[in-house]
């Protein structure tokens, strides 16, 4: 069954659940009225259904390949990239001064999720460009902005982010790439970066690499890192392409999935680069791109989940076993209902995070900034975990045909698996949540829990059973949050971090389902909320119990005993 972008679902969420009306009421985003937003979603949906979705299987069967030093992308990717670029989808959120549409992040996130469901391998390319555009807007000099942003925004050039090195993965501070001043304001960047998404390709004229490297005498660790813009071709002042830079692709990775996306080992040999942001302020500048990408990766998970769900549902309606199609069997209903309810929760959490980012931009309010910071790791990890779980359930719904590649069910699972790994593994996201994001003593979390409980109070007369369950879950999360912030042993917090993050997502999911049921009572939204709140929300109890155990039992076995 062909993928259909869930345009109406996004409209419902934006108009009824995630508070998007507050965003379009700000002067910064007043152009994003409901009509305009709907028109944008419909156009994006068409692009996804008609242009991107047909490439999803092609990308898997014709992987990106390296030929004589040049990367060839799967057939059709070049045409689709041009359609994305010419439709303005790369520069959706970018500054109009450079050709962008200045759309709110909530709308950008919706479009990105739909593109991910249609063809994840290709969607990584615009996602990288959007992040780089935001980083350059915030941290680059006016000359760099004027030269690069119009090209990136128009999709004439593409973008990459280069953090990872063989010895420096999660521990970015261990990186050893170097940058030497050339004496003319540029730098010579040298080093090897691995796993670079869309590090090279044949769909656009130039590739702009943002590279983390260390200046001479810089301190060790993350404090000593600076950020450089290293183009594949060095542009002339008028934007035409000049000499080829000394950066090359060493090889492409052979991956579990995501075969259409070229994941490259890149070698920089005294390549000419320009400093972005402050010397030794590279991590702060790169974090602008990374935060953007983290929310985007959560949306990738949800997008693939949507595609896998549509695929599984269609199969379950046709496949007969016993007297009926398998969709009539309770266990298959359990799988499909869980998939649908979790997709809704993950999508609504991602959009809630995007709304917080928009409100922080539009108002400058510290509370909205704290809300966005709190929700980013949850949106990233829960969105990607949901992608993995739903794609896995999709295989199960297909039975043996799920394990056979030609149905396509397995590809969703292979493709989406990486979303829990890149952009900071989900373990790192959870640690970020319980450490940095709780540095305010849990204040941002408590403010959110207050809102959840106010909503539950309001729902008590009309939906008493659902409201009570959400209120109780919120109180349990509050108690756990109090325990967490009072725990001074960081390793004890870290031992429970993944469970705490998932419990937080479960509770948020309950709240956002309740809001949907309140907005559309008595129909399928309420039925889905009931399914989620009765069957999935209770998971938070076991998760919160685990979150507070501490680390001792994890180290109860010695390394020798683990190996025995
Ligand atoms: C397809 C693909 C595309 C990618 N694209 C890019 C890209 O465009 N640019 C880029 O720079 N990188 C990219 N990456 C790299 C990716 O971001 C890293 O793989 C990721 O950050 C994890 O680093 P690592 O692989 O070295 O794993 P490691 O850091 O070795 O982690 C291994 C395991 O240990 C855990 N771990 C590590 N440190 C800690 C800690 N302190 N506390 C608790 N647990 C810890 C991790 O959570 C993980 O489970 C890509 C990777 C893949 C597979």
């Amino acid at each position: 069954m062909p993928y259909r972008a869930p345009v109406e679902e996004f409209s419902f969420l934006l108009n009824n659940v995630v508070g998007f009306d507050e965003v379009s009421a700000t002067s910064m985003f007043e152009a994003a009225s409901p009509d305009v937003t709907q028109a944008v979603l419909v156009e994006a949906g068409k692009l996804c259904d008609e242009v991107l979705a047909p490439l999803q299987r092609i990308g898997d069967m014709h992987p990106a390949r390296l030929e004589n030093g040049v990367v060839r992308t799967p057939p059709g990717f070049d045409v689709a990239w041009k359609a994305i670029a010419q439709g303005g989808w790369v520069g959706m959120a970018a500054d109009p001064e450079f050709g962008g549409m200045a759309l709110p992040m909530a709308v950008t996130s919706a479009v990105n999720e739909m593109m991910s469901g249609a063809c994840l391998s290709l969607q990584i390319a615009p996602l990288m460009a959007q992040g780089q555009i935001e980083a350059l807007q915030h941290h680059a000099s006016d000359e760099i902005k004027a030269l690069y942003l119009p090209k990136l925004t128009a999709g004439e050039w593409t973008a990459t982010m280069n953090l990872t090195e063989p010895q420096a993965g999660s521990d970015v501070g261990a990186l050893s790439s170097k940058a030497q001043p050339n004496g003319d304001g540029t730098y010579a960047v040298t080093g090897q970066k691995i796993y670079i998404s869309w590090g090279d390709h044949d769909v656009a004229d130039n590739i702009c690499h943002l590279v983390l490297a260390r200046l001479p005498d810089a301190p060790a660790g993350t404090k000593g890192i600076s950020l450089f813009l290293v183009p594949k071709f060095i542009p002339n002042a008028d934007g035409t392409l000049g000499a080829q830079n000394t950066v090359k692709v060493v090889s492409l990775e052979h991956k579990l999935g995501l075969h259409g996306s070229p994941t490259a080992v890149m070698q920089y040999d005294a390549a000419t680069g320009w400093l972005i942001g402050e010397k030794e302020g590279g991590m702060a500048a790169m974090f602008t791109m990374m935060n953007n990408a983290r929310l985007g990766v959560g949306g990738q998970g949800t997008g693939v989940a949507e595609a896998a769900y549509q695929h599984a549902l269609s199969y379950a309606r046709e496949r007969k076993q016993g007297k009926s199609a398998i969709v009539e069997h309770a266990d298959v209903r359990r799988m499909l209902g869980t998939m649908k309810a979790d997709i809704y929760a993950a999508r609504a959490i991602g959009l809630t995070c995007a709304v917080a980012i928009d409100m922080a931009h539009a108002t400058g309010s510290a509370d909205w900034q704290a809300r966005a910071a709190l929700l980013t790791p949850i949106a990233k990890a829960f969105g990607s975990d949901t992608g993995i779980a739903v794609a896995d359930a999709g295989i199960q719904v297909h039975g043996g045909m799920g394990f056979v590649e030609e149905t396509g069910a397995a590809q969703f699972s292979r493709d989406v698996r990486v979303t829990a790994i890149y952009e900071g593994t989900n373990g790192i996201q959870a640690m970020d949540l319980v450490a940095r994001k709780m540095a305010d003593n849990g204040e941002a979390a408590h403010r959110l829990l207050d809102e959840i409980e106010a909503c539950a109070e309001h729902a008590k007369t009309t939906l008493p059973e659902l409201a009570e369950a959400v209120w109780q879950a919120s109180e349990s999360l509050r108690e756990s949050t109090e325990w967490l912030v009072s725990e001074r042993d960081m390793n004890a917090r870290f031992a429970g971090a993944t469970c705490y993050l998932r419990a937080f997502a479960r509770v948020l999911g309950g709240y956002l389902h309740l809001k949907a049921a309140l907005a559309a009572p008595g129909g399928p939204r309420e039925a889905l909320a009931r399914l989620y709140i009765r069957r999935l929300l209770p998971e938070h109890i076991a998760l919160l119990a685990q979150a507070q155990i501490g680390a001792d039992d994890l180290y109860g076995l010695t390394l020798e005993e683990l190996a025995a």
Side-chain angles (χ1 to χ4, degrees):
M1 192 206 102
Y3 169 80
R4 286 282 162 262
V7 170
E8 289 314 315
E9 188 66 9
F10 278 112
S11 302
F12 174 81
L13 274 159
L14 290 174
N15 293 331
N16 299 286
V17 177
V18 298
F20 185 67
D21 50 338
E22 272 195 88
V23 175
S24 43
T26 62
S27 55
M28 183 178 274
F29 296 119
E30 64 189 356
S33 63
D35 287 355
V36 169
T37 303
Q38 178 68 13
V40 169
L41 293 176
V42 168
E43 267 318 296
K46 267 192 226 155
L47 173 86
C48 292
D49 295 352
E50 293 166 14
V51 182
L52 270 57
L55 296 173
Q56 193 245 7
R57 289 294 288 150
I58 293 175
D60 194 49
M61 292 187 304
H62 304 277
R65 58 192 199 285
L66 183 61
E67 274 178 9
N68 305 322
V70 181
V71 171
R72 304 285 175 208
T73 52
F77 271 36
D78 52 348
V79 176
W81 169 262
K82 287 197 171 59
I84 294 170
Q86 283 161 9
W89 304 111
V90 180
M92 276 181 284
D95 194 333
E97 188 188 340
F98 304 109
M101 290 198 263
L103 285 173
M105 183 56 90
V107 180
T108 308
S109 295
V111 174
N112 283 344
E113 196 222 278
M114 294 194 287
M115 290 205 273
S116 309
C119 185
L120 184 62
S121 285
L122 182 55
Q123 186 269 343
I124 296 170
L127 185 68
M128 291 289 104
Q130 289 164 12
Q132 187 171 110
I133 289 167
E134 195 181 341
L136 294 182
Q137 279 179 186
H138 279 90
H139 304 287
S141 68
D142 288 344
E143 285 114 307
I144 295 272
K145 283 187 199 171
L147 186 54
Y148 285 83
L149 284 176
K151 300 285 187 188
L152 285 164
T153 304
E156 286 178 44
W157 299 351
T158 68
T160 70
M161 59 195 291
N162 292 239
L163 293 86
T164 311
E165 298 179 10
Q167 78 294 351
S170 301
D171 183 9
V172 180
L175 66 80
S176 62
S177 290
K178 301 246 174 304
Q180 284 282 349
N182 285 328
D184 61 356
T186 68
Y187 294 81
V189 177
T190 300
Q192 190 171 88
K193 297 286 180 179
I194 60 171
Y195 303 132
I196 302 309
S197 295
W198 284 82
D200 195 47
H201 57 74
D202 54 3
V203 308
D205 297 339
N206 203 5
I207 306 172
C208 306
H209 304 287
L210 271 186
V211 185
L212 289 178
R214 229 176 262 289
L215 288 163
D217 305 323
T222 48
K223 286 200 181 78
I225 294 175
S226 303
L227 183 63
F228 300 89
L229 178 61
V230 183
K232 177 176 177 181
F233 293 99
I234 297 172
N236 301 310
D238 64 357
T240 54
L241 295 184
Q244 182 152 6
N245 212 340
T246 43
V247 46
K248 67 170 192 235
V249 186
V250 177
S251 60
L252 291 187
E253 308 291 358
H254 294 278
K255 310 191 294 289
L256 174 69
L258 220 57
H259 292 149
S261 165
T263 309
V265 176
M266 305 294 298
Q267 182 67 41
Y268 296 85
D269 291 314
T272 304
W274 282 261
L275 181 71
I276 302 297
E278 301 294 318
K279 282 182 188 170
E280 293 167 11
M283 283 310 288
M286 191 57 126
F287 252 106
T288 307
M289 182 162 185
M290 280 156 65
N291 277 331
N292 182 312
R294 283 178 177 183
L295 178 59
V297 170
Q300 290 184 335
T302 316
V304 176
E306 172 70 37
Y309 170 71
Q310 290 184 15
H311 200 264
L313 177 61
S314 157
Y315 183 80
R317 294 170 75 149
E318 280 165 22
R319 167 79 174 157
K320 266 208 174 126
Q321 284 296 282
K323 290 197 188 92
S324 58
I326 59 170
V327 73
E328 297 303 338
H329 298 307
D331 192 55
V332 176
R333 281 292 174 105
R334 174 190 63 78
M335 290 190 272
L336 292 167
T338 302
M339 291 158 90
K340 190 171 174 68
D342 263 348
I343 291 168
Y344 173 87
R347 180 177 286 141
I349 290 170
L351 285 183
T352 303
C353 179
V355 163
I357 292 171
D358 289 329
M359 292 305 292
H361 280 162
T363 65
S365 134
D367 282 1
W368 279 115
Q369 271 162 16
R371 168 80 48 98
L374 177 78
L375 289 178
T376 298
I378 302 174
K380 193 277 178 182
F382 189 66
S384 52
D385 283 345
T386 297
I388 292 166
V390 168
D392 189 65
I395 293 178
Q396 194 68 15
V397 168
H398 281 76
M401 289 309 282
F403 201 67
V404 172
E405 285 285 355
E406 69 228 37
T407 58
Q411 188 194 336
F412 297 119
S413 185
R414 290 187 287 99
D415 283 356
V416 79
R417 186 61 186 85
V418 74
T419 58
I421 296 171
Y422 61 23
E423 266 325 304
T425 63
N426 285 1
I428 298 291
Q429 303 299 326
M431 290 163 67
D432 177 45
L433 177 66
V434 301
R436 258 169 26 102
K437 304 299 164 65
M438 292 290 157
D440 63 351
N441 267 332
E443 264 183 42
H446 284 296
R447 271 197 302 276
L448 186 50
L449 294 174
D450 291 345
E451 278 176 35
I452 294 175
E453 288 172 21
C455 171
E457 287 291 345
H458 166 69
K460 266 183 183 162
T461 46
T462 47
L463 297 165
E465 186 203 351
L466 303 188
E468 179 63 23
V470 170
W471 192 88
Q472 286 293 348
S474 171
E475 273 301 289
S476 303
L477 183 58
R478 196 188 285 283
E479 281 167 26
S480 211
T481 305
E482 278 161 8
W483 173 86
L484 196 75
V485 295
S486 67
E487 177 56 70
R488 294 289 146 212
D489 173 0
M490 274 303 178
N491 216 33
R493 285 197 201 185
F494 291 154
T498 292
C499 292
Y500 177 79
L501 183 149
R502 189 169 174 82
F504 210 130
R506 276 275 164 256
V507 175
L508 279 171
Y511 161 58
L512 294 162
H513 268 292
L514 182 62
K515 281 182 115 178
L518 283 169
R525 301 258 169 212
E526 186 182 321
L528 191 66
R530 204 168 290 283
L531 189 157
Y532 179 95
I533 290 171
R534 279 188 177 167
R535 287 179 180 270
L536 306 180
L537 179 60
E539 191 193 6
H540 80 275
I541 298 168
L543 288 166
L544 290 178
Q546 276 195 74
Q548 297 178 53
I549 290 175
D552 291 352
D553 62 329
L554 298 179
Y555 295 89
L557 288 170
T558 63
L559 279 184
E560 291 71 28
E561 285 163 347
L562 271 178

